[in-house]
Each structure stands twice: as structure tokens, then as C-alpha cells.
Amino acid sequence: MVVVTAPPQTPTTPSDDHLLSRFAAGERGALEELFRRYRGLAYRVAYRLLGHEADALDAVQEGFVKALTHLGGFQRRCAFKTWLLRIVSNAALDLGRQRGRREALTLEAAASDRAAPPRHDDPGRGVDHADLRRLLDEALAALPEAQRRTFVLHVDAELSYREVAEALGISIGTVMSRLFYARRKLRGRLASVLKL
Amino acid sequence: MTSPDPGRRPRPELLAAYADGELCAAERARVEAWLAAHPEAAVELSAQRRLSRCNCRFWAAAAPPEPVEAAWSRVLNRVEAALAAPAAPRPAAATAAPPAARRWYRPRGVLAAVAAGLALFALPVRPPADGPTEEWAAWAVFPVAAPADVEIESLRQDDAPLLVVGASPLTSLPWATAAEVTLEYLEPDEADGMVPAGPAAGGDDVPMVYTPLARRP
């Protein structure tokens, strides 16, 4: 997995709280630094939920705008990252519902692609990165929304069970259950590439 | 603390947490004891591990396309523009507080309440057995949950007849239908080991859940 987490905070790296205070004081650089810190994670979450780069960037934009215009609602019961990713995932799911037609068209295209053999061979897996990503996107799209969101927040956003539970307002047991059944379903669809 | 019982199957979802390294020492020991006695579970555990974030090679190969820096700049510029723009004036109806007597109608609040009710799967108060009365009909109705919003986490024996399926007596209340509900796992009751029966699919007498009367103002 490509690691896109925030860089480790050294004494010279301002904390999120410090950046948020500076942002609240109107400092433009604070926004830019927060954006650079979390744009990658936010994008990965949105992409996995939408399967489309431009839509994912729209969801990232919407998520940052909503998070920063509603900072008053951020009670600091969890990390800013957790709170932001919750909002981004909400934005992505809302966008996905609004753009259902695009999804339908994409799925149709994917279905026709499936009839064709993989375009490139990879000695290790037999599929190239684009094919693998497409298979994963399709498999994730087939999951119930709650399972997909939980899975993406844990695997792609690298949130712990506790952080996912905080982000979604659910129990850790529910996180556990959703991940178990999500993987069980993904296993069926990805068996060939995972060599299960 | 009791010693792990290798003969007693742990809840299956513990395998996910075990694969992710999210269990405490006691739970980990319990799962390991059970796995040692049941090698056939290795296949399930392997699948859980291969789809965990520890499988770096797989996730790196399936990573989303990385946006170019120019795309990131455009997004940041749009975020800045949106934050700098003055908030659009809201229609008076949207900002005015709803009348106290009707406040429970607001979909977001009721959705949360309903979601909590579904998660707890215990709705103790039922409407009159002879169906909606004139009083019920006088209450405005609104969509509270789409099928995608409903997730049944567990089910007790006593609540099986109340599974959230079927048509609502209030016609504009869309619940999940029987075809949209998938029971993934029914956990046997700890006391008697009985597995609750799910609802029969189809038919005119499909059970349904009503908004608890107790939630009325």
C-alpha cells in the first residue's frame, strides 16, 4: 500500500490544532499546510468510494470546505484528521448518489471491458495496475455502503478501529463486523488476483 | 480471567480484528487457541490478512491514480474561493426553528433516532393492531431511511418477527424490502443456542417496524 499519511510531526511541524488556530485567525498559509497534510488521505478515501479521479477531487474540495466552514462543530473529541475524513467520505457518498448515472455508465463500460483479456501482463499477478484497480473498484462498489465506507476508512485512510468508530459514530464491534463481512465479500470477487 | 476455551468458536468477526492486530492480549489468546484447534479456519484468516492493509504489495498495485500538482492547485484555489465567499443568505424557512410540536419530524433527527432504533433492533411499542388510525394519518410523513441506510447488525430471537422489511402502512415511508435485506450472520443465543429465524420472504404479511409511539412529542 502506498503510504500517504501525514508526515511525522517534529518540533518544527505545527500541530493540527495550531494550524486550525492560525486558520481561524485568517492566515492563508495555515489552510495551505492543512490541505497539503491531508489531501492525499482525503483523495484516497474519496477515490475508493467513487472510483473516479475528477469526482474524487470534487469530494475532497467539498470535504475541506465543509470541514473548515463548520469548525465550530468540531468538538475535538477526535483528531481533526478523523473528523475531516468523515466529512470527506460523506461528501463522496453524496456525490456518488448525485452522479449515479455516471456510475451506471462506468459499470457498463467495465462490464464490456471484462469480456476482453487483460491488456498487459504482469509476471507476478497476471493483471496490470489499471486492471487490478478496476477489479478492486468494482468489488468495492458491490459492497453495502456502510461496509465500503468502513473498509475504506480503515484500509485506505489507515484509521485504527477506534478512529473509524469515532469517525462513523459506531461501536468498535460494528467496525470489526463490517470489516469481516466486507473482506469475505471482496474475497469472492478478488480471489484470482489475491491467489486465494 | 478465564483461560481460553479452544473448543468454543469465537465470534467470526474477531478474525478480522486478529488479522489487523486490533485485539487485546486476552482476545488474541482466545482466537489463537481456537485457531490451533481448528486449522481449517486458516483459509478464512488468510483471506482476512490478504485484504488487510498489511498486504502492502496488493494495495500499492491497486493505488488510485495520483493527481498532478496542477489539479491539486485548482482544488486548493477553489477551497480558498469557497471559504472567502460570503455565506449565501438562507431562505427564512430554512433558518427558522420548526414549531416545537413538530420538531421530531425533521428527517435528520428522526433518521438518527431510527438508525439507533434499528441498531438496537428493539422497538417496544407497536401501533394499534388494526392499522393506522385517523390520528396516525394526520401526521405528516416523510422518507426516513432508504434501503442503503439500513444495516441490521444483530438480531434477537424475540425481535425476529420485527425485522425491518416490508411495506410501510404510511405509503411514503420507504423501508427496505425483503429482497434488499441480506442476513449475513445469525448468532445463536448464548443462553439456549437457538438461532433466530429470519422472516419469510414475500407474502402479504411480511413483518414491519413502526416508528415507536414513545418518540412522539
Side-chain angles (χ1 to χ4, degrees):
Chain A
M1 175 167 45
V2 175
V3 177
V4 289
T5 50
Q9 294 188 3
T10 63
T12 57
T13 304
S15 68
D16 288 352
D17 280 346
H18 183 60
L19 287 174
L20 289 171
S21 298
R22 284 168 48 194
F23 167 74
E27 191 179 321
R28 182 191 184 279
L31 167 62
E32 193 169 335
E33 192 154 351
L34 278 170
F35 183 77
R36 284 189 177 278
R37 188 173 285 181
Y38 293 119
R39 68 184 191 181
L41 277 179
Y43 168 75
R44 286 176 65 86
V45 167
Y47 184 90
R48 289 287 188 227
L49 293 173
L50 291 162
H52 189 277
E53 180 177 344
D55 286 351
L57 288 172
D58 285 350
V60 170
Q61 174 190 326
E62 180 74 7
F64 268 95
V65 170
K66 281 186 175 171
L68 294 172
T69 50
H70 296 90
L71 275 179
F74 175 42
Q75 304 292 324
R76 287 175 167 74
R77 291 182 188 137
C78 62
F80 174 72
K81 176 181 82 170
T82 307
W83 190 67
L84 172 69
L85 293 176
R86 172 196 173 116
I87 294 173
V88 169
S89 62
N90 274 335
L93 292 172
D94 285 346
L95 201 61
R97 292 186 197 107
Q98 291 166 15
R99 300 183 180 176
R101 179 171 167 74
R102 172 179 284 175
E103 185 175 341
L105 292 173
T106 304
L107 290 176
E108 280 176 21
S112 63
D113 283 350
R114 271 196 299 275
R119 291 183 290 273
H120 309 288
D121 286 333
D122 173 69
R125 295 288 180 187
V127 291
D128 73 358
H129 289 194
D131 288 329
L132 185 58
R133 189 165 58 231
R134 191 201 71 214
L135 286 171
L136 180 60
D137 289 346
E138 287 176 37
L140 285 172
L143 293 179
E145 188 175 286
Q147 286 181 8
R148 185 164 31 129
R149 193 180 188 196
T150 304
F151 184 83
V152 165
L153 285 174
H154 176 63
V155 172
D156 286 292
E158 301 181 349
L159 298 185
S160 68
Y161 280 22
R162 178 172 297 281
E163 288 172 321
V164 174
E166 287 172 351
L168 300 182
I170 56 179
S171 69
I172 290 178
T174 301
V175 173
M176 201 184 294
S177 173
R178 287 181 184 175
L179 287 174
F180 176 81
Y181 290 109
R183 287 180 180 140
R184 192 173 254 190
K185 286 177 184 166
L186 291 172
R187 170 189 169 189
R189 288 178 167 263
L190 299 171
S192 60
V193 291
L194 287 169
K195 295 189 174 175
L196 290 170
Chain B
M1 185 178 68
T2 58
S3 59
D5 176 5
R8 186 180 175 196
R9 191 186 201 284
R11 289 160 53 213
E13 50 265 41
L14 285 178
L15 281 183
Y18 180 75
D20 288 323
E22 289 267 356
L23 292 181
C24 67
E27 288 174 320
R28 194 164 56 244
R30 184 180 160 206
V31 171
E32 285 173 349
W34 189 84
L35 286 170
H38 298 84
E40 70 278 7
V43 174
E44 181 72 63
L45 178 61
S46 172
Q48 294 288 323
R49 280 188 169 143
R50 282 172 189 259
L51 282 163
S52 77
R53 60 191 188 196
C54 301
N55 189 355
C56 299
R57 183 178 176 187
F58 175 76
W59 295 110
E66 187 62 29
V68 297
E69 195 55 40
W72 284 127
S73 295
R74 283 194 295 275
V75 174
L76 177 58
N77 288 340
R78 290 200 295 260
V79 170
E80 288 174 331
L83 293 173
R90 295 182 179 182
T95 53
R102 297 250 169 182
R103 199 161 290 168
W104 79 281
Y105 278 138
R106 289 191 298 175
R108 181 175 296 176
V110 173
L111 182 59
V114 170
L118 297 182
L120 293 171
F121 49 78
L123 299 175
V125 183
R126 302 186 196 189
D130 55 353
T133 62
E134 287 185 10
E135 183 193 356
W136 274 70
W139 291 79
V141 294
F142 52 86
V144 293
D149 297 320
V150 176
E151 180 183 19
I152 298 169
E153 295 173 351
S154 58
L155 186 70
R156 290 195 315 217
Q157 174 75 39
D158 293 347
D159 296 320
L162 286 174
L163 193 59
V164 194
V165 295
S168 164
L170 306 175
T171 54
S172 62
L173 271 166
W175 291 107
T177 66
E180 290 159 340
V181 173
T182 303
L183 282 177
E184 294 177 329
Y185 178 70
L186 289 173
E187 189 167 2
D189 186 274
E190 287 191 1
D192 58 15
M194 297 292 287
V195 177
D204 295 331
D205 57 348
V206 175
M208 58 186 75
V209 168
Y210 295 82
T211 303
L213 292 172
R215 294 198 193 287
R216 290 185 175 192

